[in-house]
Amino acid sequence: MTRFSRLPILAGVLLAASLWLPPSAAQAQAAAAKAGLLTIDSLIDIKFPSSPVFAPDGRTIAFLWERAGVQEVWTVPAAGGAPVQVTHDSAGLMDALFWSPDGRTIYFARDGALWQVPGRGGAATRVWTGEDEGGGFAISPDGRAVAFTRQGDLYVRPLAGGAVRRLTRGPADASGPQWSPDGSRLLFTMAKETRHEDAPAFSGSKILFTRTETADGVVAVVPVRGGSVVPLAPGGGDAGSPSWIDRTHVVFQRISDDVHTRTIVVADVLTGHGRTVEQDVDPKWWDLLYVSSAPQPSPDGKWLAFLSDRDGWAHLYVVPVAGGAPVQVTRGHFEVDRPSWAPDSKRLIFDANVVNAPGRREIMMATLDKGRAPAAVDAITATGGTNTAAIWSPDASRIVFEHTDAHHPADLDSLAIAGRARPVPLTDSLPASVDRQALVAPRFVHYKAPDGTEVPAWLFVPATLDRSHSHPAIIWVHGDGINQNYDGWHIHRDYGVYYSFHQYLVQHGYVVLAVDYRGSIGYGRAWREAVFHDLGGKDFSDVAAGATYLKSLGFVDPQRIGIWGLSYGGFLTLQAVTETPTLFNCAVDVAGVEDWKDWYQDPGGAWIRGRMGRPQDNPDLYRRTSPIYRVDQIVRPLLVLAGTADVNVPFIESARLMDALLKAHKTVDFMMYPGEFHYFERAHVLRDAWQRVAAFFDAHLHPER
């Protein structure tokens, strides 16, 4: 089976026009600032930290701090202290952040090149000059060389300069190189990629859209000094997420083409042979692919940790590398994510949500009794909000993790394991222009769907709201179908910017309801899989029932309810305006899927195959669940936003939607953002999008000031 991604190619000049522009946006923002309310500029100034990595001595942490699509390298003492900005380049996004073994240099990748900067700060310089672009940079265990990919092949080069050694020559494209513990081999995934170019009739021949057809992945190794590529346990299905167990063995997982089966394989790099260690089979689809489900080998090479929802909830298990029965480490009506072994191979940290509080996550630690059974599973944070993505210091004395809550966007916290002192905040991402105490904490609520199912959601209502009057309300629909809302700021930057905008809406006269419809994570396997062969069915009924719930509150005007969503949430927004044309007064679709057959072609992959099968096998299902075929039903105002560089829901889908709407004689507001991706990042895009959405809702829902 294959999967696709797409990038728009501008063959000529790509133009799109906005059919509607926000009036007096600057005046409105000035008035808001004068009144002490959130402004869109203050939202843009909220920063998001990511990619923390300990220095080799464990005393300092390097991390990336992003503001509006621009990341810089920062450092901060691991025990707490003032963060120090290391780079000052204002040159976009970075990745592949790592330290030199002596802790003196920090490396990072930007624009396809590897850069270096002194750990104490200074000018950033390219490691090598005159080189073509590359990616996937990984430093060798001895710190002397770097592996990377370039145009689908694998290379190694000394950091100090010297000859570049090419290790692969197609035909498959290599990605994700990892050094063996002894530095003698590289582990990677390879998959053949085929480029296609499309020029649909509705967009004309001047605009070409490319999509990349990617075959099933194969895990392989190659000697660093050069030699033959050794595929590991090749077989049917998509292999990926590999890790070294020791210098001669690796582990990876394989997903069957029908997405029913996940198999964990241990392979010998000397022979290429593999054996199955563990397997999950689901009659609907294996639904943990897009969480941290990859098997994690213990540092001593004896155990594998993995996630499974075989008991109905995503829980942590361990199994001996040599084979044997798995041991379930966690149990209960909560879900585990992001496990990480301690260097001593006796402890695992992970984050998990809380029984009856699915939007709250705490850092947990499991101490294992020789791997056979958990001696203890304890919460090592109890701060509320969300605590996620913990990493160990080199000596396992400390962890660093991400914290969010109703008054704090994503920040890094540090916690000493001994004595379990309170976490120490390392960053403060909220700008001084934002009054933290004025932010509204969402309240966890439930309401009934038409079939009687209790639907969880998060209600944003200011404490000072005059409940004797009716107010406009907006339903927010999150994306992915592999996501959820949280007890405060979203844990991911991509949705954190939307959470901040909801705070803006609340301060400007709106009630907001964020729905965790069927298909969301955090509520167990049955909730996740309730959308099997039913995209836009039960999940949309959950969203639509949110309007009934809002009307029942007594302080929401039934005639002033809007809806908006991103990605899959954009799809459900399109369901709203085509399935229930008069339920909402207006709607905003941000990069929503209009036709699942289009999305199956690009980007496609296991997400859609698991939920819907193939369009040639289920043509009626694909047509029934796609709003493009019902746009003639739209009667309420609709705003559509999309970026031309979107690879999650390619821009061509929004272009086709616009074509269908105009042919159906519908008036629609549309704005495209040249070069912008699925999750809006850059300041000028965020400013225009938020002003446009705010003015659109104001025009059609008329909030009181």
Side-chain angles (χ1 to χ4, degrees):
M1 185 52 69
T2 57
R3 54 191 188 273
F4 296 85
S5 64
R6 183 192 298 265
L7 291 172
I9 295 295
L10 305 187
V13 181
L14 179 60
L15 296 175
S18 169
L19 305 182
W20 173 85
L21 293 171
S24 306
Q27 295 177 7
Q29 292 304 299
K34 187 175 181 179
L37 301 176
L38 277 172
T39 67
I40 287 170
D41 281 344
S42 65
L43 302 185
I44 293 171
D45 285 336
I46 298 172
K47 295 190 289 187
F48 295 87
S50 64
S51 307
V53 56
F54 280 94
D57 65 6
R59 298 171 61 185
T60 306
I61 296 164
F63 65 98
L64 302 178
W65 219 348
E66 180 253 353
R67 175 199 173 274
V70 175
Q71 286 179 316
E72 301 288 2
V73 178
W74 290 68
T75 59
V76 65
V84 176
Q85 186 171 348
V86 178
T87 62
H88 300 79
D89 301 314
S90 299
L93 299 178
M94 304 173 175
D95 59 12
L97 186 70
F98 56 88
W99 290 85
S100 62
D102 62 9
R104 295 180 178 178
T105 305
I106 300 172
Y107 296 94
F108 61 92
R110 186 180 65 213
D111 296 330
L114 184 64
W115 293 72
Q116 60 189 353
V117 65
R120 295 183 179 275
T125 59
R126 288 185 61 161
V127 175
W128 312 301
T129 59
E131 289 292 319
D132 294 333
E133 292 185 356
F137 297 97
I139 193 169
S140 62
D142 63 8
R144 296 181 178 179
V146 167
F148 59 94
T149 59
R150 178 188 295 156
Q151 296 180 350
D153 283 314
L154 192 59
Y155 295 80
V156 169
R157 185 172 186 182
L159 274 171
V164 180
R165 183 180 300 122
R166 185 176 181 177
L167 302 181
T168 64
R169 295 183 179 274
D173 292 82
S175 63
Q178 301 176 47
W179 293 82
S180 61
D182 63 2
S184 66
R185 292 179 174 83
L186 286 172
L187 171 67
F188 62 102
T189 301
M190 58 183 184
K192 183 174 176 56
E193 296 184 351
T194 305
R195 175 188 168 104
H196 300 272
E197 294 182 351
D198 299 326
F202 66 82
S203 63
S205 61
K206 291 290 287 183
I207 300 174
L208 294 180
F209 291 88
T210 69
R211 53 188 170 89
T212 301
E213 180 183 354
T214 305
D216 284 341
V218 175
V219 173
V221 294
V222 64
V224 171
R225 295 185 179 276
S228 299
V229 172
V230 179
L232 302 179
D238 188 22
S241 305
S243 294
W244 287 98
I245 297 173
D246 54 39
R247 66 184 185 86
T248 59
H249 295 87
V250 303
V251 63
F252 61 91
Q253 66 182 17
R254 177 178 286 121
I255 310 300
S256 62
D257 284 340
D258 61 11
V259 204
H260 290 311
T261 305
R262 187 275 298 268
T263 304
I264 297 176
V265 179
V266 169
D268 187 319
V269 303
L270 302 179
T271 66
H273 297 159
R275 54 185 172 83
T276 297
V277 174
E278 192 58 36
Q279 193 171 75
D280 283 276
V281 180
D282 194 303
K284 291 183 176 178
W285 84 92
W286 189 72
D287 60 15
L288 294 183
L289 180 58
Y290 296 97
V291 299
S292 304
S293 60
Q296 304 291 326
S298 60
D300 64 8
K302 295 181 179 180
W303 303 97
L304 298 174
F306 65 95
L307 300 184
S308 172
D309 62 0
R310 61 190 62 179
D311 76 344
W313 297 81
H315 279 300
L316 178 64
Y317 295 75
V318 295
V319 65
V321 168
V327 175
Q328 186 170 354
V329 178
T330 59
R331 298 176 185 272
H333 289 186
F334 61 92
E335 301 214 293
V336 170
D337 205 353
R338 294 169 281 268
S340 176
W341 287 96
D344 62 11
S345 299
K346 297 178 181 179
R347 294 169 293 169
L348 281 154
I349 52 171
F350 52 91
D351 55 86
N353 59 1
V354 178
V355 177
N356 298 323
R360 174 183 165 190
R361 298 193 74 85
E362 300 291 357
I363 305 296
M364 312 287 288
M365 183 168 67
T367 303
L368 305 182
D369 180 11
K370 298 180 180 180
R372 289 192 294 269
V377 178
D378 300 313
I380 60 175
T381 63
T383 61
T386 64
N387 301 286
T388 62
I391 61 170
W392 293 94
S393 63
D395 64 358
S397 65
R398 181 177 298 277
I399 62 170
V400 166
F401 58 93
E402 180 189 282
H403 172 80
T404 76
D405 59 39
H407 298 100
H408 296 83
D411 274 312
L412 298 179
D413 281 12
S414 174
L415 177 65
I417 296 299
R420 308 284 175 84
R422 287 189 62 81
V424 176
L426 300 181
T427 62
D428 185 0
S429 296
L430 202 66
S433 60
V434 176
D435 180 0
R436 203 182 299 273
Q437 300 309 311
L439 300 174
V440 174
R443 181 165 62 91
F444 191 48
V445 299
H446 288 82
Y447 57 83
K448 287 189 181 297
D451 62 2
T453 300
E454 290 283 329
V455 180
W458 299 85
L459 181 65
F460 296 75
V461 181
T464 58
L465 185 79
D466 182 355
R467 301 192 178 209
S468 66
H469 290 79
S470 293
H471 304 271
I474 296 168
I475 290 181
W476 161 249
V477 193
H478 69 68
D480 291 341
I482 48 171
N483 213 322
Q484 69 173 110
N485 297 290
Y486 292 94
D487 187 10
W489 237 277
H490 201 282
I491 66 174
H492 300 306
R493 179 263 173 217
D494 304 334
Y495 285 92
V497 293
Y498 286 86
Y499 181 93
S500 66
F501 186 66
H502 293 145
Q503 292 291 332
Y504 173 91
L505 291 174
V506 168
Q507 288 193 15
H508 287 75
Y510 294 92
V511 173
V512 174
L513 182 71
V515 182
D516 279 340
Y517 52 83
R518 273 171 274 195
S520 301
I521 64 172
Y523 299 87
R525 184 181 64 197
W527 194 257
R528 281 193 299 277
E529 293 187 347
V531 295
F532 181 64
H533 283 198
D534 190 38
L535 300 185
K538 296 184 186 70
D539 50 1
F540 173 64
S541 72
D542 294 343
V543 173
T548 303
Y549 168 74
L550 287 170
K551 295 173 185 178
S552 73
L553 295 177
F555 52 82
V556 169
D557 187 339
Q559 303 304 315
R560 289 190 291 162
I561 300 177
I563 184 171
W564 80 313
L566 164 68
S567 193
Y568 192 86
F571 156 69
L572 289 178
T573 297
L574 293 174
Q575 285 290 90
V577 296
T578 57
E579 288 283 344
T580 54
T582 60
L583 181 61
F584 298 96
N585 288 69
C586 61
V588 179
D589 158 36
V590 185
V593 176
E594 37 72 60
D595 189 338
W596 289 111
K597 189 167 63 174
D598 288 345
W599 205 85
Y600 181 90
Q601 184 182 49
D602 179 21
W607 191 98
I608 187 66
R609 292 201 313 274
R611 289 162 173 78
M612 296 276 283
R614 303 185 305 170
Q616 58 265 43
D617 299 328
N618 301 304
D620 293 340
L621 174 64
Y622 269 75
R623 187 177 182 88
R624 174 173 59 81
T625 56
S626 297
I628 191 80
Y629 303 107
R630 299 183 301 278
V631 295
D632 61 311
Q633 299 299 305
I634 296 176
V635 296
R636 294 289 169 84
L638 173 65
L639 169 62
V640 178
L641 306 178
T644 65
D646 194 334
V647 296
N648 293 38
V649 179
F651 177 69
I652 192 174
E653 295 198 30
S654 294
R656 184 185 171 205
L657 173 64
M658 291 303 302
D659 181 64
L661 287 165
L662 294 173
K663 288 176 178 175
H665 307 291
K666 303 299 177 180
T667 299
V668 61
D669 301 327
F670 175 57
M671 185 62 188
M672 52 82 76
Y673 296 105
E676 191 56 87
F677 293 93
H678 191 60
Y679 304 108
F680 297 164
E681 294 173 344
R682 295 171 294 171
H684 67 280
V685 173
L686 289 169
R687 184 174 292 106
D688 182 88
W690 292 166
Q691 289 177 351
R692 198 171 293 273
V693 172
F696 180 82
F697 281 141
D698 285 355
H700 299 294
L701 300 179
H702 310 293
E704 296 84 3
R705 296 300 187 184

